Amino acid sequence: MSSPILKLIAQRVALGILLLLAISVLIFAGTQILPGDVAQAILGQSATPESLANLREQLGLNDPAYVRYFHWLGGVLTGDLGTAMSSGQDIATSIKGRLWNTLFLAFWAAVVAVPLAIILGLIAVRYRNGWVDKLISGLALASTSFPEFFIGYLLVYFFAVKWQIFPAISTVYDGMPFGERMQAIALPATALTLVVLAHMMRMTRAAILNVMQSAYVETAELKGLSAFAVIRKHAFPNAIAPIINVVMLNLAYLIVGVVVVEVIFVYPGMGQYLVDHVTKRDVPVVQAVGLIFAAVYISLNIIADIAAIVANPRLRHPK
């Protein structure tokens, strides 16, 4: 790789680390200003003042905020996410299986959504301004207009309640056979696919249409190449950078934005884990899950930036 590319990549990585550090401050500050007393929430309303004072001292709640922040950050950097206040379980151990479940769900949603979005985008460009383009764009717009919970409940009603094809509750467990696991995640994966598919398709179409105005595309058309050959060989490769960015942003959403879908289908992933402990005001769990979501989102954005940089021919072959 050339020096300009390496310099840009190093800048993106450094910026991502600084951004994650800033987000960790915001997450910690946000959980500290929540109303209510953590010790009171754990021990209940019948707790004595002495027991409340002892628990606050045990949890370090009497220390200044910046001391607690650096203690928490130091633990995170060494792999210690703390202990859940509501259950006393190690957070890292509890998150491990749930993070795998969320990644498994997001992976299979992406396997369907990404190639389908690109193919539909190419078809829409090939038949641009025709009835096929208008049909695809109209369906994409309609899909984008529906929130995740509405799509999820529609899927549950038709495929679980009315037709009884798939289970309404997506129960998965360790050692579950692959076929049963795929059947269990069919509805939540479909909901996530429908949520991100339309956006990726529309942005793919827009990126390719932007390239179609270029002189080299017009030259390829004048040479007598078929419309799809022009799109596949000349337009699509030169529109790959913005398409990669859109795909990565939607992949990040598949992982970070699963909270609503996981709650609807009672799927044992990170989103469900977060909601369960928000209701219990379990601050260490909320901090840990929030930071993991932020790290995943920033990491995928960095990968998108790096891919876009590497895909730029002006940077690969500087004059």
Side-chain angles (χ1 to χ4, degrees), residues 14 41 54 59 94 111 172 198 215 241 286 314:
N54 290 334
L59 297 176
S94 301
V111 165
V172 296
V286 176
R314 288 176 294 182

Side-chain angles (χ1 to χ4, degrees), residues 160-175:
V161 177
K162 191 171 184 179
W163 299 328
Q164 298 183 359
I165 300 174
F166 299 108
I169 298 177
S170 301
T171 303
V172 296
Y173 52 87
D174 291 338

Side-chain angles (χ1 to χ4, degrees), residues 40-234:
Q40 189 82 61
I42 294 174
L43 296 180
Q45 297 296 325
S46 60
T48 62
E50 293 78 12
S51 60
L52 290 173
N54 290 334
L55 183 58
R56 291 192 190 100
E57 184 66 30
Q58 180 183 346
L59 297 176
L61 299 177
N62 296 327
D63 296 333
Y66 71 89
V67 173
R68 284 181 278 127
Y69 168 73
F70 284 112
H71 177 75
W72 171 67
L73 184 62
V76 170
L77 294 175
T78 57
D80 180 14
L81 299 178
T83 303
M85 292 180 178
S86 57
S87 63
Q89 296 179 346
D90 181 65
I91 296 175
T93 303
S94 301
I95 280 179
K96 185 178 179 181
R98 290 180 174 269
L99 179 60
W100 161 249
N101 288 341
T102 294
L103 293 176
F104 183 82
L105 175 61
F107 171 78
W108 286 107
V111 165
V112 176
V114 173
L116 186 57
I118 293 175
I119 291 171
L120 289 176
L122 292 173
I123 293 173
V125 173
R126 168 63 182 84
Y127 299 101
R128 60 186 178 277
N129 300 324
W131 70 270
V132 174
D133 179 24
K134 292 178 181 178
L135 176 63
I136 293 175
S137 298
L139 291 175
L141 182 61
S143 177
T144 306
S145 304
F146 295 133
E148 299 97 314
F149 70 87
F150 183 76
I151 295 175
Y153 286 131
L154 279 180
L155 292 173
V156 169
Y157 175 72
F158 285 105
F159 290 95
V161 177
K162 191 171 184 179
W163 299 328
Q164 298 183 359
I165 300 174
F166 299 108
I169 298 177
S170 301
T171 303
V172 296
Y173 52 87
D174 291 338
M176 188 177 188
F178 180 76
E180 293 181 14
R181 183 181 285 264
M182 291 299 293
Q183 185 179 19
I185 70 165
L187 292 186
T190 302
L192 287 174
T193 298
L194 292 175
V195 168
V196 300
L197 176 64
H199 182 244
M200 283 193 292
M201 188 284 297
R202 294 179 68 193
M203 295 305 296
T204 299
R205 178 184 181 277
I208 297 176
L209 281 178
N210 185 52
V211 174
M212 292 291 287
Q213 311 300 321
S214 303
Y216 57 84
V217 173
E218 294 180 1
T219 303
E221 291 174 339
L222 292 173
K223 288 181 179 179
L225 293 177
S226 66
F228 195 75
V230 171
I231 295 170
R232 181 174 58 85
K233 295 181 179 179
H234 297 278

